[in-house]
Amino acid sequence: MLGLGLIGGAVTGSWLTDDGEDGALGDHFATAGTLWHNAPVDQLFPPTVEGTGAGPGGADRTWTRVAVAPDSGCAHAFDPLLQKVLAPVGCQRLLRATYTDATQSYVTTVGLLFTKADPVAMAALAHRFRTEGLDRRADLMPRPYAAKDTVAAGFGDKQRASWTISVLTDAPVVAYAVSGWADGRSADVPQPAADAVSAEATTAPAQAGLGNEAQGLADRIERRLRQSIGTATENPS
């Protein structure tokens, strides 16, 4: 059993409206932080992910997992600047898996950084990402996981073409996805997925649908992870 964690969007607004929910929300946050060693890899990073409507123009996508990295610390896992930005929340565990599309034209790494932070620290980092636009800065792109003897073997730093990164506030997790071409070509002008999915975007990553690859896969993994959080919260061991 390889433990994995969670990914997804912030839901802090509901936290502040009902003091009676504080205990439950605290339990939710704490439970989420333990899932990196409690959930099977296939439950959270499934072998196959269906992406109905996730491609450009609403086209369907199917992603196949080609590799799962051993859970690890964060040493050498991020570029130095991103490592510095993430330092305030610490690193408890980093979990990663790499997928390819049905045509094996693209590769995408999904990563889950489990932090050592409490809700206040996670909210502060999320606020910084949001207000400073850190999720759109190319110098803060996450690194991919390239696995030998797979279609992702050549997926290195220079091949990063599009990405998405989010700091959760309902769990001690920073989640991300980064995509590129499977043939090892370099990406001269990487573009954040939030921009690359626009119909008006004309960059090479956008035209190839790499923004959709990163965003679509991240969204699907998020749904599965949140299901696991809910199950773990309702049925604690």
Side-chain angles (χ1 to χ4, degrees):
M1 179 177 288
L2 173 63
L4 297 175
L6 61 119
I7 183 174
V11 292
T12 54
S14 63
W15 295 17
L16 304 178
T17 59
D18 188 344
D19 291 341
E21 297 181 355
D22 286 352
L25 291 167
D27 290 344
H28 176 98
F29 190 92
T31 298
T34 67
L35 288 182
W36 66 267
H37 59 75
N38 287 342
V41 61
D42 286 352
Q43 179 180 329
L44 302 178
F45 284 161
T48 302
V49 177
E50 297 297 331
T52 303
D60 295 339
R61 282 287 188 267
T62 298
W63 295 283
T64 301
R65 194 184 70 205
V66 298
V68 177
D71 61 352
S72 67
C74 294
H76 312 298
F78 300 110
D79 288 341
L81 186 56
L82 181 56
Q83 185 82 45
K84 181 178 180 180
V85 169
L86 296 174
V89 294
C91 173
Q92 177 171 255
R93 220 63 171 182
L94 178 63
L95 309 169
R96 294 169 292 172
T98 297
Y99 288 78
T100 188
D101 69 305
T103 67
Q104 296 193 350
S105 299
Y106 313 116
V107 284
T108 303
T109 292
V110 181
L112 305 170
L113 165 61
F114 282 77
T115 76
K116 299 178 180 179
D118 60 15
V120 173
M122 293 302 295
L125 185 63
H127 177 76
R128 185 181 178 196
F129 264 77
R130 183 172 59 254
T131 58
E132 298 180 25
L134 302 185
D135 57 336
R136 282 178 159 83
R137 282 180 46 170
D139 57 352
L140 295 176
M141 271 192 298
R143 283 178 172 167
Y145 174 63
K148 295 181 179 179
D149 302 319
T150 72
V151 67
F155 190 21
D157 290 350
K158 293 183 179 179
Q159 284 69 45
R160 294 176 289 184
S162 191
W163 75 98
T164 180
I165 183 169
S166 60
V167 180
L168 310 191
T169 55
D170 59 341
V173 175
V174 177
Y176 64 86
V178 56
S179 62
W181 286 277
D183 60 9
R185 79 182 75 171
S186 298
D188 295 330
V189 185
Q191 186 174 35
D195 297 331
V197 298
S198 170
E200 289 74 34
T202 59
T203 64
Q207 293 296 304
L210 286 167
N212 298 83
E213 295 293 309
Q215 190 66 64
L217 183 56
D219 287 347
R220 271 69 187 176
I221 294 296
E222 172 185 343
R223 295 173 192 175
R224 294 188 64 92
L225 297 171
R226 288 201 174 282
Q227 290 172 0
S228 297
I229 300 166
T231 299
T233 303
E234 293 168 7
N235 304 295
S237 58

